[in-house]
């Protein structure tokens, strides 16, 4: 039985006061929710303030990125151990916006995942094809390369600390959600890849989240599919009621 995960990626939104207000609004709306791993990912400068507010609640804290070194002369970067020190339990790695705008590759994503695990964090490992790749019928080839290279050198035991997020790039922030069938097809394919790289038990245990314009209105359909174990939510995570509506998909 895989525990569903609903994670909110706040991207480059919400200064500290707004981040605290958002989480203060969210806490009462999800406090009675059981059996769902709830995660929020504010910007770095709001981590400590949000951490303080969610202490003792059922909400977990994530960062949106990290570097792969523990320390050193790497101006502007942040290490997984420092994120853990700031109260994070999770970190998003390889989001398509990082791949698109900040030159992240499967190789750097792999280094970051390994560093995140070493630093004691759960890695939310993002993959997904662009519209051009889907239209060229290369979705499965893209996913195969991203999964194989992203997980290179990672053991089955380590995989227990990784959550995969399938986010078709064409569905992120566009209002275009993949249909339940399209999402389930990709998720089943990804789980099959994990079976091939590891074993059936490992593949059965890993959580695979869907991301791309998830809203309270479409979450139930997605979550009814056997291989969809949760959601990574951007836009709809920026308001307490819409994010709570997704978190509370079972109600
Ligand atoms: C995301 O940023 O990971 C995302 C899925 O965004 P949105 O929900 O806005 O499409």
């Amino acid at each position: 039985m895989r525990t569903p995960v609903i994670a909110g990626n706040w991207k480059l939104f919400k200064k500290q006061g707004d981040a605290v207000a958002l989480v203060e609004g969210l806490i009462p709306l999800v406090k009675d929710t059981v059996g769902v791993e709830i995660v929020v990912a504010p910007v770095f400068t709001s981590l400590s303030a949000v951490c303080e507010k969610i202490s003792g609640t059922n909400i977990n804290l994530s960062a949106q990125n990290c570097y792969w070194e523990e320390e050193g002369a790497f101006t502007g970067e942040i290490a997984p151990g420092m994120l853990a020190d700031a109260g994070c339990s999770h970190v998003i790695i390889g989001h398509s916006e990082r791949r698109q705008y900040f030159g992240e590759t499967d190789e750097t994503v792999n280094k970051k995942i390994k560093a995140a695990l070493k630093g004691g964090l759960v890695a939310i490992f993002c993959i997904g094809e662009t519209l051009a790749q889907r239209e060229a019928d290369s979705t499965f080839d893209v996913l195969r390369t991203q999964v194989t290279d992203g997980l290179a050198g990672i053991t089955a035991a380590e995989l227990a600390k990784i959550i995969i997020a399938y986010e078709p790039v064409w569905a992120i922030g566009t209002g275009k959600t993949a249909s339940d069938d399209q999402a389930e097809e990709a998720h089943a394919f990804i789980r099959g890849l994990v079976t091939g790289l590891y074993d059936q038990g490992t593949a059965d245990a890993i959580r695979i989240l869907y991301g791309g314009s998830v809203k309270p209105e479409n979450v139930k359909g997605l979550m009814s599919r056997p291989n969809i174990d949760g959601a990574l939510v951007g836009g709809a995570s920026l308001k307490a009621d819409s994010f709570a509506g997704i978190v509370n998909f079972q109600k």
Side-chain angles (χ1 to χ4, degrees):
M1 182 57 187
R2 298 184 289 265
T3 302
V5 183
I6 304 290
N9 171 16
W10 296 358
K11 308 194 188 197
L12 189 54
F13 293 104
K14 309 276 178 198
K15 289 181 184 156
Q16 218 176 92
D18 295 329
V20 166
L22 173 53
V23 86
E24 278 177 341
L26 182 63
I27 291 167
L29 302 179
V30 302
K31 71 175 179 7
D32 298 324
T33 305
V34 286
V36 178
E37 196 171 310
I38 307 168
V39 182
V40 295
V43 298
F44 290 134
T45 51
S46 295
L47 287 173
S48 292
V50 171
C51 178
E52 207 173 293
K53 288 288 162 197
I54 62 177
S55 163
T57 73
N58 55 349
I59 302 174
N60 300 282
L61 190 66
S62 178
Q64 300 175 13
N65 178 35
C66 68
Y67 193 50
W68 57 78
E69 296 288 349
E70 283 173 38
E71 59 181 12
F74 304 105
T75 303
E77 292 297 334
I78 185 135
M82 293 164 182
L83 295 173
D85 192 41
C88 291
S89 50
H90 295 63
V91 59
I92 298 169
I93 292 178
H95 190 280
S96 63
E97 288 152 14
R98 304 267 345 144
R99 294 176 188 256
Q100 188 179 348
Y101 304 125
F102 302 100
E104 296 206 6
T105 63
D106 293 331
E107 193 190 348
T108 59
V109 166
N110 176 253
K111 285 180 167 185
K112 289 184 177 197
I113 293 174
K114 287 175 175 162
L117 300 180
K118 200 167 163 213
L121 300 175
V122 172
I124 302 176
F125 163 39
C126 302
I127 56 173
E129 82 286 0
T130 62
L131 183 59
Q133 289 165 333
R134 178 160 281 263
E135 287 177 346
D137 266 342
S138 52
T139 296
F140 292 149
D141 290 336
V142 169
L143 295 178
R144 184 181 296 105
T145 303
Q146 289 177 335
V147 169
T148 308
D149 294 356
L151 296 179
I154 289 166
T155 66
E158 287 170 331
L159 215 63
K161 301 285 274 179
I162 295 177
I163 296 168
I164 296 177
Y166 168 63
E167 300 203 302
V169 179
W170 48 271
I172 297 180
T174 60
K176 276 188 210 157
T177 319
S179 69
D180 300 349
D181 284 345
Q182 281 173 321
E184 171 60 20
E185 182 187 39
H187 282 230
F189 178 76
I190 294 161
R191 203 175 300 285
L193 289 175
V194 176
T195 309
L197 290 170
Y198 297 89
D199 55 71
Q200 191 66 54
T202 304
D204 286 344
I206 194 161
R207 273 91 55 87
I208 307 176
L209 316 185
Y210 169 77
S213 300
V214 177
K215 308 178 217 40
E217 298 77 42
N218 59 23
V219 67
K220 260 193 201 335
L222 290 160
M223 291 304 292
S224 70
R225 297 308 180 105
N227 285 292
I228 301 180
D229 306 312
L232 180 53
V233 186
S237 72
L238 296 173
K239 289 207 166 115
D241 55 352
S242 56
F243 189 58
I246 298 171
V247 168
N248 294 325
F249 68 93
Q250 282 155 324
K251 291 185 184 159

